[in-house]
Amino acid sequence: MSKNGEGLNLNNNSIKVVGNDDNGTTKGINIKTTTTIEEEEGKNNTDFQNNNNNLWNSTSFKRFFRFGTIDSSLLMISLLCGVSLEAVIARRIGVHGYGTVVGAAIGNGVSDTLAALPEGYKASIGAFAGSMVPTFPIFGCLFSKRPLNTRTKYIIGVSSVALLVGSLFIPMRDDEKDD
């Protein structure tokens, strides 16, 4: 408070503003609060901590963390198996370079399917079907005995980008219920 009684006074449960008008009369306003400033600051800090902890404790995070772990682990295993397939594919079909691509493509389908199993069998079937669609250009090039050169990689890459963009912009209806 200043010497003439003007100023701002903060108490635990009130805010008091006091001042003098033009005639020298002291006037003020007293605002009662339901919580103290310290309680409010503590509440804001707790809200931040709760919001931060909610990510790690949320069911969605846990489900998709598990999905990602299963999916990527199986994908890595199948990619390494694809390296072993290279000689078999080259010998039987007659083109080189498709082993890791085929291993990754099939492995992605298997890993998506298994990772989606905790979500239910319909989710698992949908994940498998969706993961197999981008393999059509790969297997088309493979079975047409097209060498895996720059042009073939371009064909597979462009078709994959087109499928990705198409999938991102296809509207999904959430109002349909599963049986």
Side-chain angles (χ1 to χ4, degrees), residues 40 90 99 110 124 159 178:
E40 196 62 34
V110 171
S124 187
S159 62
D178 285 337

Side-chain angles (χ1 to χ4, degrees), residues 1-10 15-20 26-30:
M1 287 283 198
S2 64
K3 290 181 184 177
N4 61 5
E6 292 180 351
L8 177 66
N9 186 7
L10 300 173
I15 301 171
K16 188 181 220 178
V17 180
V18 178
N20 293 328
T26 302
K27 300 207 175 194
I29 185 169
N30 191 17

Side-chain angles (χ1 to χ4, degrees), residues 1-178:
M1 287 283 198
S2 64
K3 290 181 184 177
N4 61 5
E6 292 180 351
L8 177 66
N9 186 7
L10 300 173
N11 292 324
N12 276 343
N13 290 333
S14 69
I15 301 171
K16 188 181 220 178
V17 180
V18 178
N20 293 328
D21 66 7
D22 293 337
N23 299 328
T25 309
T26 302
K27 300 207 175 194
I29 185 169
N30 191 17
I31 304 169
K32 297 282 187 186
T33 60
T34 56
T35 60
T36 65
I37 294 169
E38 290 81 14
E39 289 172 338
E40 196 62 34
E41 287 174 354
K43 178 183 172 198
N44 290 340
N45 191 26
T46 304
D47 287 345
F48 174 75
Q49 289 172 345
N50 287 341
N51 288 337
N52 196 20
N53 289 337
N54 283 341
L55 171 67
W56 306 108
N57 293 326
S58 72
T59 305
S60 271
F61 177 82
K62 289 177 183 177
R63 285 177 22 212
F64 286 99
F65 182 84
R66 177 177 54 188
F67 179 94
T69 303
I70 293 169
D71 183 50
S72 292
S73 298
L74 289 171
L75 183 58
M76 290 300 123
I77 292 168
S78 60
L79 183 68
L80 294 173
C81 290
V83 172
S84 301
L85 285 174
E86 180 59 40
V88 174
I89 292 173
R91 187 175 59 249
R92 290 196 179 166
I93 298 181
V95 289
H96 296 279
Y98 282 95
T100 53
V101 176
V102 169
I106 292 172
N108 185 52
V110 171
S111 67
D112 284 354
T113 303
L114 294 177
L117 272 176
E119 302 300 316
Y121 78 93
K122 288 181 180 180
S124 187
I125 292 170
F128 178 75
S131 65
M132 287 293 104
V133 170
T135 66
F136 295 156
I138 295 168
F139 288 112
C141 291
L142 175 65
F143 291 119
S144 66
K145 297 186 178 185
R146 185 177 201 92
L148 192 57
N149 56 22
T150 304
R151 184 166 184 216
T152 305
K153 291 175 190 176
Y154 182 75
I155 291 168
I156 294 170
V158 168
S159 62
S160 295
V161 167
L163 288 166
L164 173 65
V165 170
S167 295
L168 288 173
F169 294 107
I170 292 174
M172 301 298 291
R173 288 184 46 197
D174 290 336
D175 59 341
E176 296 177 359
K177 300 289 182 192
D178 285 337

